[in-house]
Amino acid sequence: MKPKIINTLPVTDPEFIRDPYPKLLELRGTTPIFWDESLERYVFLRYADIAALLRDKRLGRGYDHLLSRDELGFPPPDPRQAACDAFNNSHMLDREPPDHTRLRALVSQVFTPRRVEEMLPRIAAIISQTLEGVVATLEATGRFDFVADFAEPLPVTVIAELLGIPLEGRVHLRPWSAAIVKLYEPTATALQQSQANTAVLEFSNYLLELAELRKVQPQNDLISALLSAREGSDQLSEQEFISTCIL
């Protein structure tokens, strides 16, 4: 058996976070596959290796269909992020068949190419409106931030319209999402963990309030469609509905 090659991906180094590519290039040339003790996982840096892993049917997103947390030596679930765990455990991205297959069958009934195609004129209008705001900022200040003024608000607005989020609720979507994804970083702090869990709870409660309104007055949006999606006698549970919308 070959000895384990050990190296470190400096994920806490501000310089690496700012510009990781020189270090990644260096590691790719010396140790493209290694065990990172601080992350407690193998790191693969070559495209061909990563592509092969992603296509390998023996591997997947989850592990609980193969081994328990105890068998893997993982600690028990942290109650401080219970809402985050409920979210992650109930959307299709992290599920394996047959759970993934079931969720995908339900969601694909309503999230269709035709629905996206029908939104194209509205997306074009949103782009024009967003650009008008960018131009106004440029004329008023002589500068603008492409990410903050255009790249961030554009997809948030499109997704909000697709779901059917009212105008007054959209201001929360980006902050909630930003707080939630912090928990996926290997250096998440206790404060970020708390903020992520709070964001999931607030987002979930907001979606449940919208769901109650849509049950009484359905609209031509994804929230209404997801609530009515059926596959035989099967439908999304309340948690699955929440997790799908957040995702």
Side-chain angles (χ1 to χ4, degrees):
M1 185 176 179
K2 291 182 179 180
K4 185 183 291 183
I5 297 174
I6 298 174
N7 215 321
T8 301
L9 205 61
V11 294
T12 59
D13 183 351
E15 276 300 303
F16 177 78
I17 294 170
R18 185 188 63 81
D19 182 12
Y21 302 107
K23 184 63 177 179
L24 291 175
L25 181 63
E26 173 194 328
L27 290 171
R28 197 177 296 121
T30 57
T31 51
I33 302 172
F34 60 87
W35 173 260
D36 190 316
E37 291 187 323
S38 62
L39 298 176
E40 295 187 327
R41 66 194 65 186
Y42 279 100
V43 175
F44 294 79
L45 296 176
R46 289 184 301 210
Y47 176 88
D49 294 331
I50 295 167
L53 290 168
L54 289 173
R55 290 184 172 92
D56 194 322
K57 298 299 183 183
R58 295 170 299 175
L59 306 174
R61 293 287 299 175
Y63 54 80
D64 54 359
H65 63 299
L66 298 174
L67 297 168
S68 69
R69 296 181 71 94
D70 287 342
E71 289 171 320
L72 289 167
F74 289 177
D78 190 335
R80 294 173 297 178
Q81 60 182 60
C84 290
D85 288 342
F87 158 60
N88 282 317
N89 292 336
S90 302
H91 63 64
M92 72 176 75
L93 195 62
D94 274 359
R95 306 310 300 161
E96 298 290 337
D99 294 332
H100 174 90
T101 310
R102 171 185 160 268
L103 289 170
R104 182 170 179 172
L106 286 165
V107 174
S108 63
Q109 292 180 20
V110 299
F111 192 73
T112 62
R114 180 180 176 182
R115 185 180 290 272
V116 176
E117 187 78 20
E118 290 172 348
M119 278 201 71
L120 288 179
R122 180 59 188 140
I123 292 172
I126 293 169
I127 291 172
S128 296
Q129 293 166 5
T130 308
L131 284 174
E132 288 173 5
V134 170
V135 171
T137 300
L138 182 60
E139 290 176 344
T141 66
R143 65 192 304 271
F144 73 95
D145 186 309
F146 181 80
V147 172
D149 296 334
F150 184 79
E152 282 189 0
L154 178 60
V156 171
T157 304
V158 172
I159 293 169
E161 294 217 355
L162 188 63
L163 281 169
I165 305 293
L167 282 173
E168 63 272 13
R170 295 178 188 179
V171 67
H172 303 297
L173 298 185
R174 178 64 179 156
W176 280 336
S177 299
I180 292 168
V181 299
K182 280 292 183 184
L183 198 59
Y184 301 143
E185 296 184 7
T187 56
T189 65
L191 176 59
Q192 289 170 331
Q193 179 190 46
S194 175
Q195 291 171 336
N197 205 64
T198 298
V200 171
L201 287 171
E202 292 177 352
F203 206 159
S204 301
N205 290 333
Y206 179 69
L207 288 167
L208 289 176
E209 291 173 6
L210 283 182
E212 291 304 311
L213 294 175
R214 293 297 187 274
K215 289 175 183 177
V216 178
Q217 291 184 312
Q219 297 184 17
N220 184 28
D221 57 33
L222 271 186
I223 286 178
S224 301
L226 287 169
L227 289 169
S228 60
R230 296 287 189 279
E231 183 75 17
S233 61
D234 190 23
Q235 65 183 109
L236 295 174
S237 69
E238 182 178 277
Q239 182 60 59
E240 289 166 349
F241 162 76
I242 290 170
S243 296
T244 300
C245 289
I246 292 178
L247 178 66

